[in-house]
Amino acid sequence: GNPSDLTPGKLEKLLDLICNDPRGQARVFQWMQPHVITSITKMIYNKMDHVKAVLRITLDSITHNFLTSWDMNSFMSANVDPESPILCQILTAAMQTEWGVKENKIKDGSTACHAVVTQLAKQRSNQSNYFTAPFTLSLWTSGASRQTIEALYRCSLCISFPLLLNLINNLAKHCLEHASQIAQGPHLMCYDNINISTSIFIEQCSSAPAKVQSGTFTILYNVHSGSLEQMHLAPML
């Protein structure tokens, strides 16, 4: 017959009959195991090229708008899970017992599964930064040390610390450009206090900066549905 014709035939019927018997099923599954591993490995290998491409994002493309709308689980469920169902099923089976899948309604393992997939994609391609870049920023804003970030970078969960500094610099430029655009239209300006704590290992000498530096910074708020005429201030007497 035609080798490309995979329409179920006599062979499939024979295998169904064998698998209907518990002993026959056990022997068939035992024989199939190395072949199934090879087949699934090739399938996952090919699918990961798609996953890698979906999660690809350059650091220059990460803006404040991207971060405010970033949602890993929603993005992965819509763009990655449908393309790599076998990989997700394997990870889910490894993460949860059958009882946990049925009874645990709060912790379903999807976040952990998605994190592992992004970790694999990052290991496969250094440009797969959809998860690693925002996650590294989150750690940095929470006060994680450079050593911690570098350790997680080795595990493909973060970007490297030098790249993090570049990302922060790029974000600062994007925010300044955004602020300049807001300043050209109706806006409100206010000030807030800021306290910056430097490293506890900073050298205590006369030329070193203070361990805690205090100051103020400006915040601009865009006024929606506002006009300059309505915001005009009368002379104060």
Side-chain angles (χ1 to χ4, degrees):
N2 186 1
S4 61
D5 184 10
L6 299 180
T7 304
K10 295 181 179 179
L11 177 61
E12 286 77 11
K13 293 180 180 179
L14 175 61
L15 291 174
D16 288 338
L17 290 174
I18 296 175
C19 289
N20 286 334
D21 178 70
R23 292 178 299 175
Q25 184 185 79
R27 299 191 66 174
V28 170
F29 284 3
Q30 183 180 8
W31 177 86
M32 288 175 57
Q33 186 172 0
H35 305 285
V36 169
I37 292 175
T38 301
S39 176
I40 292 179
T41 301
K42 291 181 179 179
M43 190 178 302
I44 292 177
Y45 179 89
N46 295 330
K47 290 295 183 180
M48 282 303 295
D49 284 336
H50 171 79
V51 174
K52 176 187 69 175
V54 169
L55 297 177
R56 184 183 185 278
I57 183 172
T58 61
L59 298 183
D60 293 337
S61 303
I62 298 177
T63 64
H64 65 283
N65 290 328
F66 169 82
L67 294 175
T68 54
S69 61
W70 182 79
D71 187 336
M72 182 188 71
N73 281 332
S74 298
F75 180 85
M76 297 288 288
S77 297
N79 298 280
V80 175
D81 292 357
E83 296 296 331
S84 55
I86 295 179
L87 175 60
C88 294
Q89 290 180 27
I90 292 174
L91 293 176
T92 301
M95 290 177 183
Q96 289 185 298
T97 62
E98 293 182 358
W99 180 90
V101 173
K102 294 179 181 179
E103 301 297 332
N104 198 334
K105 304 302 181 182
I106 299 177
K107 184 180 178 182
D108 61 357
S110 59
T111 300
C113 177
H114 292 156
V116 171
V117 173
T118 60
Q119 188 178 9
L120 297 174
K122 179 65 175 177
Q123 181 66 29
R124 195 179 182 97
S125 171
N126 198 43
Q127 296 297 321
S128 298
N129 294 315
Y130 182 85
F131 170 78
T132 55
F135 183 60
T136 309
L137 276 174
S138 175
L139 293 175
W140 179 76
T141 56
S142 301
S145 66
R146 176 170 185 164
Q147 291 86 346
T148 300
I149 292 175
E150 288 290 354
L152 292 175
Y153 165 68
R154 298 293 181 182
C155 299
S156 299
L157 286 169
C158 287
I159 59 176
S160 66
F161 197 82
L163 287 180
L164 169 63
L165 297 181
N166 292 338
L167 175 58
I168 295 172
N169 186 51
N170 292 337
L171 282 173
K173 293 179 180 178
H174 287 303
C175 290
L176 286 175
E177 293 174 358
H178 183 59
S180 65
Q181 294 174 359
I182 293 178
Q184 295 175 13
H187 66 276
L188 298 176
M189 182 179 69
C190 66
Y191 293 93
D192 201 354
N193 298 325
I194 183 173
N195 295 306
I196 301 176
S197 178
T198 56
S199 172
I200 60 174
F201 303 106
I202 190 170
E203 184 178 357
Q204 299 299 306
C205 60
S206 58
S207 60
K211 292 185 65 174
V212 177
Q213 302 182 52
S214 301
T216 58
F217 66 98
T218 308
I219 302 177
L220 298 181
Y221 293 97
N222 189 20
V223 177
H224 298 282
S225 303
S227 64
L228 294 177
E229 291 76 12
Q230 295 172 340
M231 300 176 66
H232 182 71
L233 294 177
M236 296 182 182
L237 301 177

